[in-house]
Amino acid sequence: MSDAQAEGKAADEAAKNPPPYRTQPESPAIVSLVGVGKTFFRGKEPVKVLDGLDLDVPEGSFEALMGPSGSGKSTLLNLIAGLDRPTRGKITVAGTDLTNASDRTLAKWRSQNIGFIFQAYNLMPVLTALQNVELPLLLTSLGGAERKKRAQTALRVVGLEDRMHHYPRQLSGGQEQRVAIARAIVNDPKIIVADEPTGDLDRQSADDILTLLEKLNKELKKTIFMVTHDPAASERASVQRRLDKGRLK
Amino acid sequence: MAMIPLSYSLRSLMVRKATTFATAFGIALVVFVFASVMMLGNGIKETLGASGREDTAIVMSKGAQAELGSTILQNQVGKIAQMGGVAQGENGPLAQAEMVVVITHPKVGTSGVANVTMRGMPDNWLKFRSEARIVAGREPKPGTREVVVGRAARGRFQGFDIGKSFAMVENQPFDVVGVFAAGGGSLESEVWGDLEVMRTMFDRPGLVSSVHVRLMTPGSLQAFKDGFKNDPQLREYEVERETKYYEKQANGLGQFISFLGYAIAVFFAVGAMIGAIITMYGAVATRQREIGTLRALGFSRISILLAFLFESLALSAMGGVIGVVAAMGMTTVKFSTMNFASWSEVVFRFVAKPGTFQWSILFAMAMGLVGGLLPAIRAARMSPIKAMRGSSRRRGWHPGRWLRWLRRPPRCSW
Ligand SMILES: Nc1ncnc2c1ncn2[C@@H]1O[C@H](COP(=O)(O)OP(=O)(O)OP(=O)(O)O)[C@@H](O)[C@H]1O
Ligand SMILES: [Mg+2]
């Protein structure tokens, strides 16, 4: 039996028999990681990025994750968002065990539970703001009129209803990111993950985005998990965490 | 299953205009060749294959591919005409012996020569050859060196016009007195005159090339054929329905030209398909982050695959339409070629049929499908983690970069 498998087994045990201090969380954890490890392979050489990581994120919290470059922040975020699977350990998010879910299951699950905000906004350049926001709704059974209405509502929340028919290249960086936020909330996910959402923005636009995230957290009760390098951004969150050498502090 | 909007694929094509049109142009070229070959095939069938009548049989010597290589003894003609299944006219059985020779004659407008079929026919041939009519001038007088030229040959060779003449044997010129039409087929590239006069001039005493026989009904062919089995002399001859005969004539040349054309089309198609593959791989490479994002949002691999396949299909269909439009221009072009079956020159046109353009566009889309498949599979296999990659550096193939490379300042190597 390899080390990794042994560790995986240990993590499973831990999940089955949680230690006593874990049994009474203050509010129910919407994200729960137990003994999670992630190892990448560069050729044949294993690169251990995360190792034996435990994390509970209570529902409705706004958490910021900081840490040096290469410490595995994005890797952790990808695991929580169901974009990748852990090498060891157990991940439960929004009531679903993601540890061994298939690609297909994960895709469906993401479309219903996760809103994504990316550093580079990642809007489709050939679609208008409205069409971009409408994209996640294409994965639902909603009709065209209803999709459009909801996309418009989401754009109103981010204050861009007057830019509906603009293409991304006709918008400023801050506006693009707001469209991306509208896309992230349009199908009403429980959790929003953001990887350096203000990384490409100037101070003013960054502050606007952070204010918007605060609003989503407070008014729409979204759980937000945000990776950032920016201390000012981290300040705005309700919980600050640090990742260093694969361990949470 | 959730579909990525088609407009996403279409607009993505329009964003990279230069690459899209370069690729579409390659496909258009192939489709142009493909459609032209099909239209030429149609033209050949129309020119050569549309001739002849269902209720007429043609008798030739066994093994002759065409009238030109066939010889029938004049003294057997009467016997053939008396056989069962032959329709009767006012003056006896409806049968006509004809003699076919090929002459080499200078063309008009070039210094070259080409082959022309000359056909000698008995008196009253206009009655028997009911598909033929005089469209200009008049009928030739029987027993003279007067001839009529087919309307496709008129003006294309020296002396081939009303009031002019041309000579095969010195001091014995043929006088052109009229122009005939014969249903648009290859007969319209011939020159028709008197059987006896031609037989003397071309020194073929006692021989004809073929006997054309009007049947009582199209179904009488078998009865007519059966008569040939019992006579040892007639067993040297072969009977065929006229329509079938012309069809065969068309096939020889048609197949040759089609084979050449399709070979070229396939050769080009491979190139155009490689172009489509490169373009689509480039599209996938430059849009890794977009694809990753769509996957992250929850679109399935199949949706991604279909979106890129559709993009490739749209690209090739566009090329197909351009190619077809260009090929339509070919319908105004005429050209002449050697018909190897009769060793004479015939004139062809490019003839479009309803199926021609559908097939051409389908052919283009098949290229798009095959060329787009591998890139689409690569797109579908892309990990959603690609969405997380920060920078938006552009990668992949872009014609602009090649142009810049071509325009780079020359470096001296010595
Ligand atoms: N797919 C992969 N294959 C191999 N190694 C990887 C892969 N993804 C990440 N890594 C490695 O894992 C480590 C952590 O990467 P990660 O992107 O999580 O860091 P990060 O904390 O987000 O850094 P940054 O602040 O620069 O974004 C890095 O050393 C990286 O090279
Ligand atoms: Mg990162």
Side-chain angles (χ1 to χ4, degrees), chain B residues 254-290:
Chain B
Q255 275 166 4
F256 174 73
I257 288 186
S258 294
F259 174 79
L260 249 170
Y262 285 127
I264 294 170
V266 164
F267 187 73
F268 278 15
V270 170
M273 220 141 67
I274 290 172
I277 290 176
I278 291 173
T279 303
M280 288 312 295
Y281 263 131
V284 172
T286 43
R287 271 144 68 196
Q288 290 191 25
R289 205 151 50 83
E290 275 175 60

Side-chain angles (χ1 to χ4, degrees), chain A residues 103 110 116 120 122 126 131 138, chain B residues 11 289 293 295-296 301 387:
Chain A
D103 277 1
R110 286 195 301 268
F116 285 94
N122 291 16
V126 297
Q131 289 166 332
L138 296 173
Chain B
R11 288 185 206 161
R289 205 151 50 83
T293 304
R295 293 278 291 127
R301 293 186 194 280

